[in-house]
Amino acid sequence: MNIEKSNIANLPTKHGKFKIKAYKQDNQEHLLIMSENFESLKAPYVRIHSECLTGDTFGSLKCDCQNQLNLALEFIAKEGGLVIYHRQEGRNIGLLNKVNAYCLQEQGRNTIEANVELGFGEDDREYSVVEEIFKDLGLENIKLITNNPAKISFVEKLGLNIVERIPAITATNKHNKDYLSTKKEKMGHLL
Ligand SMILES: [Zn+2]
């Protein structure tokens, strides 16, 4: 697997001071955000955050992504750990298809039905770059911040020990409640 890595730089943010490192695989770039004390931790808090441009950057209320990202950044700023910003937009269907999926949702499909109608699986994310990042960091024990059982089983398959799972549960609103209930009922999210 051909993965390019950057050096490590400082990134002060409104959540706290972090360090960042970028990874590039097949023309897609991903970001690792670490607390300053990360290397001294035996079992850092870890969030594998899937990119959601509409939520993370524009504050879309159609999902809970920005709230989850902020929660994770505040958590690692305080407790120590890292966020892997995994850039597979829209469960890896890309932005154009994600917007088309939103149009189908406006016609009554749920988030899974819309993706399937566009010719994708219900979840097309793949985590090989995350595996490489874990190897790069030499992680063995982590505390995983997630609601997603697929991420739990992915991490366990890599042979990492999840010593604790921290739910990333944030407020629902009238725009995201159907989306969250589909995630819970059809994708087994622990909400
Ligand atoms: Zn989102």
Side-chain angles (χ1 to χ4, degrees):
M1 194 180 309
N2 188 17
I3 292 186
E4 238 180 285
K5 303 171 196 173
S6 75
N7 293 318
I8 294 174
N10 294 311
L11 187 75
T13 73
K14 63 183 179 184
H15 305 286
K17 287 184 190 166
F18 297 124
K19 292 187 174 297
I20 54 169
K21 181 171 184 177
Y23 294 78
K24 186 171 183 178
Q25 177 195 37
D26 301 333
N27 272 331
Q28 181 59 286
E29 295 173 310
H30 308 268
L31 196 63
L32 170 64
I33 301 160
M34 297 163 275
S35 64
E36 286 191 310
N37 65 347
F38 158 68
E39 283 189 11
S40 66
L41 301 168
K42 286 204 173 77
Y45 289 92
V46 172
R47 168 144 185 97
I48 305 163
H49 188 84
S50 302
E51 176 185 272
C52 171
L53 188 79
T54 47
D56 297 338
T57 304
F58 297 103
S60 166
L61 297 175
K62 288 171 72 69
C63 54
D64 54 346
C65 302
Q66 188 188 53
N67 287 341
Q68 289 195 338
L69 180 60
N70 287 341
L71 177 145
L73 290 171
E74 277 157 28
F75 208 90
I76 68 162
K78 207 159 33 161
E79 305 288 338
L82 55 104
V83 172
I84 296 169
Y85 195 72
H86 188 219
R87 296 190 55 216
Q88 294 190 348
E89 179 70 44
R91 299 199 295 275
N92 210 14
I93 66 174
L95 201 48
L96 191 145
N97 289 310
K98 180 180 172 179
V99 174
N100 281 336
Y102 278 167
C103 288
L104 290 174
Q105 288 173 45
E106 285 168 14
Q107 295 160 30
R109 276 68 139 199
N110 69 32
T111 179
I112 295 172
E113 290 162 350
N115 284 24
V116 170
E117 194 164 322
L118 290 170
F120 301 99
E122 63 178 65
D123 189 343
D124 284 342
R125 284 173 285 190
E126 68 84 27
Y127 295 97
S128 56
V129 71
V130 178
E131 180 174 358
E132 286 303 309
I133 294 171
F134 281 151
K135 274 189 205 155
D136 192 30
L137 296 170
L139 289 176
E140 285 173 17
N141 298 300
I142 65 168
K143 297 169 181 162
L144 191 63
I145 306 171
T146 190
N147 304 324
N148 185 348
K151 285 182 182 165
I152 296 170
S153 64
F154 158 73
V155 167
E156 285 174 344
K157 268 189 211 133
L158 295 182
L160 272 86
N161 184 25
I162 302 174
V163 300
E164 191 183 340
R165 181 185 76 88
I166 293 86
I169 294 180
T170 64
T172 53
N173 64 53
K174 65 177 178 178
H175 304 286
N176 71 12
K177 76 176 174 10
D178 290 347
Y179 166 80
L180 292 175
S181 73
T182 301
K183 267 187 162 180
K184 181 177 178 173
E185 283 153 30
K186 311 279 188 208
M187 301 175 82
H189 280 224
L190 308 162
L191 296 168

